[in-house]
Amino acid sequence: MMFLKPYGDTLNDGAIQISFSLPHPLNETSKKVSLELALKMGIANPKITFTQELGEGFSFFIIYGNLSHEIDIDSIKTSKVKEPIIDYWDINRLIEEKFNRKIVIVGATIGSDAHTVGLDAILSAKGYAGDVGLERYPVFQVHNLGSQILPELLLEKIMDKQADVVLVSQVVTQKNIHIHNLTQLVELIEGAGLRDHIITICGGPYLSKELALELGYDGGFGAHSLPSEVASFIARRLLEKSK
Amino acid sequence: MMFLKPYGDTLNDGAIQISFSLPHPLNETSKKVSLELALKMGIANPKITFTQELGEGFSFFIIYGNLSHEIDIDSIKTSKVKEPIIDYWDINRLIEEKFNRKIVIVGATIGSDAHTVGLDAILSAKGYAGDVGLERYPVFQVHNLGSQILPELLLEKIMDKQADVVLVSQVVTQKNIHIHNLTQLVELIEGAGLRDHIITICGGPYLSKELALELGYDGGFGAHSLPSEVASFIARRLLEKSK
Amino acid sequence: MFNSPVDSGILNLPRDSINEARYLGKSIASAVHNKIKDLSTLSIERASLRMLGIRGANQEGTPWVNIFTEKCLSANLIQNGVLMILAQVCKHTSMNPQQAVEMVSENRIHLNDLIEVNGSKEIKKLCDELANKAYQNLSNKKKERLNFINTLSSGTKPYLYVIVATGNIYEDVKQAKSAALLGADIIAVIRTTAQSLLDYIPQGITTEGFGGTAATQENFAVMREALDEVSQKTGRYIRLVNYCSGLAMPEIATLGLIEGLDIMVNDAVYGILFRDINSLRTLTDQEFSRRILSFGDIIIVTGEDNLIKTVDAKEMAHTVTASQIINYYLALKSGLKPGLIGLGHAFEMDPSESDSFLHELAQAWLVRDLFPQSPIKYMPPTRYMTGNIFRGMVLNAAFNLIGVLTNQEILLLGMPTEALHTPFIQDRFLSIENALYFKNAAGNLSNEFTLKESSLMRKRAIEVLNKAVNLLKVINQKGLFNALAEGTFASIKRPENMGRGFAGVFVKGSSYYNPFLSLLPDNATDETEA
Amino acid sequence: MFNSPVDSGILNLPRDSINEARYLGKSIASAVHNKIKDLSTLSIERASLRMLGIRGANQEGTPWVNIFTEKCLSANLIQNGVLMILAQVCKHTSMNPQQAVEMVSENRIHLNDLIEVNGSKEIKKLCDELANKAYQNLSNKKKERLNFINTLSSGTKPYLYVIVATGNIYEDVKQAKSAALLGADIIAVIRTTAQSLLDYIPQGITTEGFGGTAATQENFAVMREALDEVSQKTGRYIRLVNYCSGLAMPEIATLGLIEGLDIMVNDAVYGILFRDINSLRTLTDQEFSRRILSFGDIIIVTGEDNLIKTVDAKEMAHTVTASQIINYYLALKSGLKPGLIGLGHAFEMDPSESDSFLHELAQAWLVRDLFPQSPIKYMPPTRYMTGNIFRGMVLNAAFNLIGVLTNQEILLLGMPTEALHTPFIQDRFLSIENALYFKNAAGNLSNEFTLKESSLMRKRAIEVLNKAVNLLKVINQKGLFNALAEGTFASIKRPENMGRGFAGVFVKGSSYYNPFLSLLPDNATDETEA
Ligand code: B12
Ligand code: B12
Ligand SMILES: Cc1ncc(COP(=O)(O)O)c(C=O)c1O
Ligand SMILES: Cc1ncc(COP(=O)(O)O)c(C=O)c1O
């Protein structure tokens, strides 16, 4: 068994930094509250290193201390080994062999979200970080619908194009608008009886695989995702499904 | 009852930021560990916003999330109202009246600590932040011994000068050297039977009243203390004692 | 007060290039003006109604001005201009304009029953009367604001501009007050996503937005009141900003005027490129909105920063410069004085590229030297911000230093958490503190230096300017509309007959009449300005 | 490699002032040299023993060289120099020096029994032989290091210098490796508090220090090995620093030479002012130590940053300049070439004062222009750092920018947590990232500008220089020792006959002999240097 805890300059010192504001003026009470919060978090010897009154009725705190929590490293199950990447040539070959047709992909940023850079990074020929996008794969036929597509319209397009895969991007997360939009889309797809006929993937800087699965998507991709990872994922799913 | 929790942009959102390193390479395991630690701290929805491999075998994490802890503000006892400051003229008058002699103050930075700026800020005539130092008070006779005074030597000086008050500064805290030095001094003073005859005060940027009392000092002064606060404290104690 | 102190350019730019750029800018702007001068839009009509003071909405929240305008449209009367129609209703029913609009909207009066299609002289006169009264009211509002400003200090330049964007106007108020008390000079309330796509102004005080808070007349008022209070308290006038863009652009300009806004983000090209708003629609709307803003002494800030958010900022820097020149001459054409034209640009080059600081500095000086009389709005790093908030502080420090060194007038402060969320209350504090340090410690740096003959920065600035001139030549040749259609900016193609809101554009009929068109300032200054 | 690329000064300082400063510096240094040239100290003697290769300590950890030297002292023989005495012991007992030292130390040999008080020619010859052999060994060590360096790259300037100070040499190694892999060029191991007050070198590998890690020969070796490994791995030579100061100054210099250190912090005035070390003692020690370092091709860095840690940095800036000039000429006198004289200074003015950035920049240029051939070590803000780590990143950014803009050669990186603790592993990362950004993005900024005639910065620099000249005049008149006694620096008074270690100073006897005094480089270069 090996326990891990934060490290500043001595093994197991638990050194940790936190910062937050409180909706309370800066005074003895709010200082005490900030320390109590740190203690509740399991931070021993919390020291307020900086305080600032933030205008009226708000205060800001920076605290250092020593975390008493530790994690047994053996208890950590890392989500199985990452699925290995299938390379560009293999993807094209395998899909070609199995399907003998182009796989139809529809992509969009849904709701009021107008951030397209992330979606384009995955779809457009140019790709991302030197990794070519899905449009470059001969076996994929990509329809990038762009931004601010309402879920209803996206469903229409999915049916229209007889899509095999749908890729949706969500960047704005304030008040959980992304959860709202993503859920709505999945429900529409289900309602249309398409759930089993289509691979659903969502992505965005604040999304994760875990969240995606929770929302009912087949896959989810977070910050710094690469097109090749997405292509690989699609290929693997298609081949599994067609078995 | 009113509960306080961190605030980012919506009441009770619990928004909090933490950062720390782990003595482990940056990989899926350490990422997971960092999230588990955040959860143990009571941080809901922890999101790793930044990771960095720190050379070999170390990794750094910045995490944002929503703290679930909250503090009942009514449960906070702020260490009674701050003792009001007695002003310069009153201090001199009151002490003059009661004692009719100068109060002898000995000050030093003890152990190997050579930081004198803080001590000088309190003692020297010039003072700190526009507030005059103890040397300027006609009723105080100040012996500033300077830095790197061993506790044994300080005891000698205390006896020698028949000090009423001893002021010690400690700035270096690595490996708790300050606790060690401060404890040693208090023990020497006790050993010499002087504990009840002298007011003991310690100060320094990482000290607090609470810690000082715990270590057996009469008073403790942390970062940004003012000479007038210290003078006031001394005057009040002297008057109390002489009752 | 917003006039720049910069005298002669540090870059010593070639006169020829500058003159050519100006000539081309004027020519492009004139062509745009000629193309749109016979057009009006549904939103211009609604704005005209709003200038009369019409407000409110039906049960479903649809504003009366929208319903009324739609009625005019379906009655096939719109080409006369809504004011003429309204005047006729008023005349025939002896109702005041607000009543008249509501009655028509609620189908209690049917336009087809009432309207003499060609407005008589009498109707025109009533129209003029209504407009003159409105104009007087609006003038008073404006004077009230300017008088209030004059009783206070205005802070020092560069003005520190921060955003609030909680989605809830009451939270926005808390955050705005906090920022103002900490030293911010300008507060911008960011709009909820996709408001720009709404072909109307939402109604009422709102508490739920996404990535921003709805721009409504009522929200404007809540925030203006809060800021006036803080202004009074600090003795420093706090300026309020909102977005005058999207499908309801001219209406928002009107509300800005009514509710005492000081600055409005106003750039048709942003709507065209990033919201797929039809170019004819929004450039027509823009001209009218700018005339309103000009009348209101409201500074516009343009959106060139967006041009380098999706393409390589170093490579495409000249598109920013070219767009600024066009925007400048379009603004002059709409009656704005140079001192009200807040041209935008940004610190968005890849910070990991060598000499990137030099390139940013060159670009900041370039805009300063090209538009010495205009307030410049400098936007902070966003694209290359990451979840490393500590590094974020450093990039923002570099940005702030360039801001003060090059005498930018409006610094939109970067937030350490840019890549994470709309700002938390403490993020703004940290950013204001960052900027205040440089303002105070390095504020006088701009007068210390001259550039060496061999300066890399000067070379770079001249290169950018010359590339901008070449681009302007192309745009001048094909016209701005075709250029936009062909993907000249941000690599995005927007044909003239596509995009949102195209249906709301119409050709003014021969009997079209709108007295505001003569009341509002126009291009009178154009010829006198450099 | 440490020679500055700066050609002609950007400040265009008045030649007269520069010449006067130099003249005064030389004169002050000569006077110091004349005053100490007949003196030796216990630590010089111990260093001489260590140069022979003597090492180790008794059970209690007292080094043999200390015990032996004490024996010489109590036997009243010290004025001959310990090498002469040792040579006699060796001769009489046929033991090698290490054995001889240990036997004497353990009282197995009594000096008084053995010693012919006046060394014969023969003894002198043996002395020379021992010293020559040692010299050869040390030369080889040095060459080994230089050869290793030559096989690797040396990074680019400014070199990024970070400290490790965990108190535990093994933790230090982890932290140092991490920093080197992240981009640091130079690692300084900070010493435990009050080591400078120890009149000996502690023994062995140590794991418990306070505010730093003991400087021992064994710890040096552990760190050097670790850094060599990282150097090999990254292909970039990582330089190692420790402190050559305090009561054991010359011995530490020797260990630095033996264990392959590259840079040593070396400044007698720091010890005098901040450690109350006797001025005669430490200035005598300093000269000897600098001769060793010069021989070892080890850069010294001086401690002028400390002069402005306790007094107003803006007001007292000229004391930094004056001290640099004195230190420079003292160093030349000790045989150091300009390229090995790393003059220190710091960014320590109150950042809340207006124009503080300009004043810092002026100061940084001043030192650069005054010493164009010397590596300059620029120290980061410390005094005005607070627990606000975010603001700390910003001040460090300002510091880093000035560092690259003024071509400082060694940037000691400021840590965001300066006001809190010796650096955590992540603090160093954040600071290296901060500095690397400016090196890469703004590295070429220094060649872009000239200062305007009216420049505030130029005025400020000239003012500081002239005040420094006036101060040098005073010091020259009364002599450095008296000046120190009267509180010229940092307002601290240190009389010549007080302070720690005074008892360890002695006047060399007429029969004093120490062959290293002729082997080590001395002031040969003095006259040829500007
Ligand atoms: C560029 C940008 C814009 C541009 C967008 C241009 C465009 N055409 O996309 C413009 C200027 C238009 C813009 C506007 C707004 N923005 Co914006 N914007 C950004 C910025 C600076 C960079 C985003 C970006 O391009 N990243 C680069 C791409 C490559 O990264 P990515 O999106 O993470 O994508 C990667 C992965 O996530 C993944 N991925 C993403 N999508 C998908 C989809 C699939 C299927 C898959 C598999 C993978 C995948 O793969 C990609 C490659 O690895 C960020 C701040 C920042 N530094 O992150 C703010 C930011 C995203 N914007 C924000 C906001 C609020 C807005 C506005 C709503 C503000 C307003 N009210 O006006 C507006 C309105 C836009 C709207 N209606 O949605 C906020 C979002 C806050 C939140 N968490 O809710 C941010 C974080 C800024 C902030 N701190 O306030 N923005
Ligand atoms: C200036 C300084 C120095 C100067 C000191 C000069 C001098 N004569 O004092 C010099 C350069 C010599 C120095 C050296 C070292 N320093 Co130092 N130094 C600092 C620095 C930059 C500022 C401290 C200061 O002057 N503060 C201003 C005064 C006014 O504030 P203050 O001390 O908090 O005092 C106030 C209160 O605390 C209180 N107070 C303080 N004492 C007392 C006493 C009484 C009785 C009362 C009532 C009140 C009181 O009242 C004061 C006024 O409000 C700090 C970093 C920082 N920014 O804080 C590091 C710092 C304190 N130093 C540090 C270290 C480690 C060292 C060294 C040990 C490093 C080394 N190994 O070489 C050395 C050795 C010194 C030694 N042997 O002790 C560390 C301490 C880390 C820790 N927590 O253990 C710090 C935090 C830097 C760092 N991050 O590494 N240092
Ligand atoms: C010029 C311009 N207009 C408008 C907006 C805001 O977008 P929206 O109009 O969708 O609220 C921005 C946002 O950055 C902008 O830069
Ligand atoms: C010049 C100089 N010498 C020495 C030291 C270190 O102190 P000590 O010699 O007590 O280890 C410092 C610390 O900053 C210094 O600047």
Side-chain angles (χ1 to χ4, degrees), chain A residues 112 114-118 169 173 204-206 225, chain C residues 190-191 211 306 382 418 421:
Chain A
S112 57
H115 292 89
T116 53
V117 179
S169 183
T173 61
Y206 317 113
S225 302
Chain C
I190 304 300
R191 298 199 300 196
N306 298 290
T382 66
E418 168 63 29
H421 48 242

Side-chain angles (χ1 to χ4, degrees), chain C residues 191 196 243 245 265 267 270 275 303 306:
Chain C
R191 298 199 300 196
S196 45
Y243 289 83
S245 64
V265 185
D267 197 338
Y270 174 86
R275 296 289 176 271
N306 298 290

Side-chain angles (χ1 to χ4, degrees), chain C residues 113-414:
Chain C
D113 302 347
L114 270 170
I115 299 301
E116 305 167 19
V117 173
N118 288 311
S120 65
K121 273 226 166 117
E122 215 181 339
I123 301 291
K124 264 195 172 156
K125 215 182 125 225
L126 178 54
C127 233
D128 284 339
E129 274 170 35
L130 291 173
N132 282 330
K133 202 173 130 215
Y135 186 85
Q136 214 38 65
N137 284 339
L138 294 171
S139 284
N140 292 342
K141 293 252 182 210
K142 160 178 142 182
K143 277 183 206 137
E144 225 174 274
R145 177 173 69 92
L146 296 180
N147 287 340
F148 181 59
I149 294 177
N150 281 334
T151 65
L152 299 169
S153 121
S154 259
T156 58
K157 287 178 207 165
Y159 295 115
L160 307 187
Y161 177 128
V162 297
I163 69 164
V164 297
T166 68
N168 177 330
I169 190 67
Y170 296 117
E171 292 289 347
D172 281 349
V173 161
K174 294 183 204 167
Q175 306 248 337
K177 279 184 164 175
S178 157
L181 290 169
L182 291 166
D185 301 299
I186 303 177
I187 305 287
V189 182
I190 304 300
R191 298 199 300 196
T192 180
T193 53
Q195 173 163 3
S196 45
L197 307 187
L198 303 182
D199 211 342
Y200 64 90
I201 305 283
Q203 177 69 18
I205 290 180
T206 71
T207 56
E208 172 126 318
F210 307 102
T213 306
T216 70
Q217 184 164 5
E218 295 72 19
N219 285 345
F220 282 8
V222 168
M223 184 58 84
R224 180 71 269 169
E225 195 190 327
L227 294 187
D228 281 352
E229 194 192 306
V230 195
S231 300
Q232 203 89 60
K233 181 164 170 177
T234 61
R236 190 166 44 88
Y237 182 67
I238 309 297
R239 290 179 165 71
L240 176 58
V241 185
N242 211 300
Y243 289 83
C244 182
S245 64
L247 291 170
M249 197 186 247
E251 291 178 86
I252 285 271
T254 310
L255 298 185
L257 178 54
I258 298 174
E259 298 301 340
L261 272 75
D262 304 282
I263 302 178
M264 302 209 85
V265 185
N266 175 265
D267 197 338
V269 173
Y270 174 86
I272 297 167
L273 299 176
F274 300 102
R275 296 289 176 271
D276 196 10
I277 296 178
N278 173 265
S279 51
L280 271 175
R281 163 72 180 264
T282 190
L283 279 159
T284 308
D285 282 349
Q286 176 171 279
E287 180 162 298
F288 192 74
S289 70
R290 285 184 176 180
R291 294 182 65 188
I292 298 172
L293 299 173
S294 164
F295 164 51
D297 227 332
I298 294 173
I299 289 177
I300 63 159
V301 289
T302 63
E304 279 80 5
D305 52 295
N306 298 290
L307 296 179
I308 46 174
K309 289 226 174 180
T310 52
V311 297
D312 187 87
K314 184 177 155 203
E315 202 183 302
M316 303 304 268
H318 64 288
T319 64
V320 169
T321 308
S323 170
Q324 286 167 336
I325 288 169
I326 298 172
N327 243 328
Y328 183 77
Y329 286 98
L330 285 173
L332 287 181
K333 266 253 169 266
S334 318
L336 285 161
K337 299 265 176 4
L340 292 179
I341 306 173
L343 296 157
H345 68 127
F347 181 109
E348 288 282 23
M349 294 181 213
D350 184 345
S352 73
E353 271 199 30
S354 52
D355 291 335
S356 62
F357 186 89
L358 275 72
H359 294 141
E360 294 289 5
L361 188 47
Q363 188 73 20
W365 259 321
L366 177 59
V367 53
R368 209 42 294 190
D369 282 4
L370 285 177
F371 307 100
Q373 301 175 69
S374 291
I376 305 296
K377 181 197 186 202
Y378 194 26
M379 305 279 290
T382 66
R383 295 173 67 177
Y384 290 96
M385 295 293 277
T386 67
N388 182 351
I389 50 178
F390 299 97
R391 174 170 169 278
M393 293 300 296
V394 173
L395 290 185
N396 286 334
F399 163 78
N400 288 332
L401 179 70
I402 293 184
V404 300
L405 174 52
T406 59
N407 281 316
Q408 308 291 315
E409 304 209 355
I410 303 176
L411 270 190
L412 194 151
L413 300 188

Side-chain angles (χ1 to χ4, degrees), chain D residues 134-399:
Chain D
Y135 187 84
Q136 214 37 64
N137 283 340
L138 295 170
S139 285
N140 292 342
K141 292 253 183 211
K142 160 180 145 183
K143 278 183 205 138
E144 224 174 274
R145 177 173 70 91
L146 297 179
N147 286 340
F148 181 59
I149 295 177
N150 282 333
T151 64
L152 299 168
S153 121
S154 260
T156 57
K157 288 177 206 165
Y159 294 114
L160 308 187
Y161 177 127
V162 297
I163 69 164
V164 297
T166 67
N168 176 330
I169 189 67
Y170 295 117
E171 293 288 348
D172 281 350
V173 161
K174 293 183 205 167
Q175 307 248 336
K177 278 183 164 175
S178 158
L181 290 169
L182 291 166
D185 301 299
I186 303 177
I187 305 289
V189 182
I190 304 301
R191 297 199 299 195
T192 181
T193 53
Q195 172 161 5
S196 45
L197 308 186
L198 304 182
D199 210 342
Y200 63 90
I201 305 283
Q203 176 69 21
I205 291 180
T206 71
T207 56
E208 173 126 318
F210 307 102
T213 306
T216 70
Q217 184 164 6
E218 295 72 19
N219 286 345
F220 283 10
V222 168
M223 185 57 84
R224 181 69 269 170
E225 194 189 326
L227 295 187
D228 282 352
E229 194 191 307
V230 196
S231 301
Q232 204 87 62
K233 182 165 168 177
T234 61
R236 190 166 43 91
Y237 182 68
I238 309 298
R239 290 178 165 72
L240 176 58
V241 184
N242 211 300
Y243 290 84
C244 181
S245 63
L247 291 170
M249 198 186 246
E251 291 177 88
I252 285 272
T254 310
L255 298 184
L257 177 54
I258 297 175
E259 299 300 341
L261 272 76
D262 304 283
I263 302 179
M264 302 208 85
V265 184
N266 175 263
D267 197 338
V269 172
Y270 174 85
I272 296 167
L273 299 177
F274 300 101
R275 296 291 177 269
D276 196 10
I277 296 178
N278 173 264
S279 52
L280 272 176
R281 164 70 180 267
T282 190
L283 279 159
T284 308
D285 281 350
Q286 176 172 278
E287 178 160 300
F288 194 73
S289 72
R290 286 184 175 180
R291 294 182 65 189
I292 297 172
L293 299 173
S294 164
F295 165 50
D297 226 332
I298 293 173
I299 290 178
I300 64 161
V301 291
T302 62
E304 279 80 5
D305 51 296
N306 298 290
L307 297 179
I308 46 174
K309 289 227 173 179
T310 52
V311 297
D312 188 88
K314 183 177 156 201
E315 201 182 302
M316 301 305 269
H318 63 289
T319 64
V320 169
T321 309
S323 170
Q324 287 168 336
I325 288 169
I326 298 172
N327 242 329
Y328 183 78
Y329 286 98
L330 285 173
L332 286 181
K333 266 254 169 265
S334 317
L336 284 162
K337 299 267 176 3
L340 292 180
I341 307 173
L343 296 157
H345 68 127
F347 182 109
E348 288 282 23
M349 295 182 210
D350 185 345
S352 72
E353 273 199 28
S354 53
D355 291 334
S356 62
F357 187 89
L358 275 71
H359 294 140
E360 293 290 4
L361 188 47
Q363 188 73 19
W365 258 321
L366 177 59
V367 52
R368 208 44 290 190
D369 282 5
L370 285 178
F371 307 101
Q373 300 176 69
S374 291
I376 304 296
K377 182 200 186 199
Y378 194 26
M379 305 279 290
T382 65
R383 293 174 68 177
Y384 291 96
M385 295 293 278
T386 67
N388 182 350
I389 49 178
F390 299 98
R391 173 172 170 278
M393 293 300 296
V394 173
L395 291 184
N396 287 334
F399 163 78

Side-chain angles (χ1 to χ4, degrees), chain A residues 100-142:
Chain A
N100 198 20
R101 66 166 174 91
K102 291 204 178 197
I103 297 300
V104 179
I105 298 180
V106 171
T109 303
I110 59 173
S112 57
D113 202 325
H115 292 89
T116 53
V117 179
L119 183 71
D120 289 344
I122 303 297
L123 295 182
S124 76
K126 196 177 158 203
Y128 184 69
D131 202 52
V132 300
L134 303 194
E135 287 178 1
R136 272 279 183 80
Y137 290 70
V139 290
F140 294 144
Q141 187 191 332
V142 175

Side-chain angles (χ1 to χ4, degrees), chain B residues 17 19-23 50-56 58-62 64 111-117 126 147-149 172-178 180 205-206 224, chain D residues 165-168 171 174-175 177-179 181-182 193-194 196-197 207-212 229 233 274-275 309-310 389-390 418-422 425-426 429-430 433 500:
Chain B
Q17 172 271 327
S19 75
F20 56 84
S21 301
L22 288 177
F50 180 69
T51 58
Q52 172 72 34
E53 176 101 46
L54 299 176
E56 284 162 353
F58 292 91
S59 44
F60 175 52
F61 300 87
I62 302 178
Y64 273 80
S112 56
D113 202 324
H115 292 88
T116 53
V117 178
K126 194 177 157 204
S147 73
Q148 300 195 319
I149 304 297
V172 177
T173 60
Q174 211 183 38
K175 315 243 186 266
N176 281 329
I177 181 77
H178 61 311
H180 174 86
Y206 317 114
H224 312 300
Chain D
T166 67
N168 176 330
E171 293 288 348
K174 293 183 205 167
Q175 307 248 336
K177 278 183 164 175
S178 158
L181 290 169
L182 291 166
T193 53
S196 45
L197 308 186
T207 56
E208 173 126 318
F210 307 102
E229 194 191 307
K233 182 165 168 177
F274 300 101
R275 296 291 177 269
K309 289 227 173 179
T310 52
I389 49 178
F390 299 98
E418 169 62 29
L420 307 178
H421 48 242
T422 51
I425 195 162
Q426 66 266 34
F429 158 67
L430 294 171
E433 187 182 48
R500 296 172 166 121

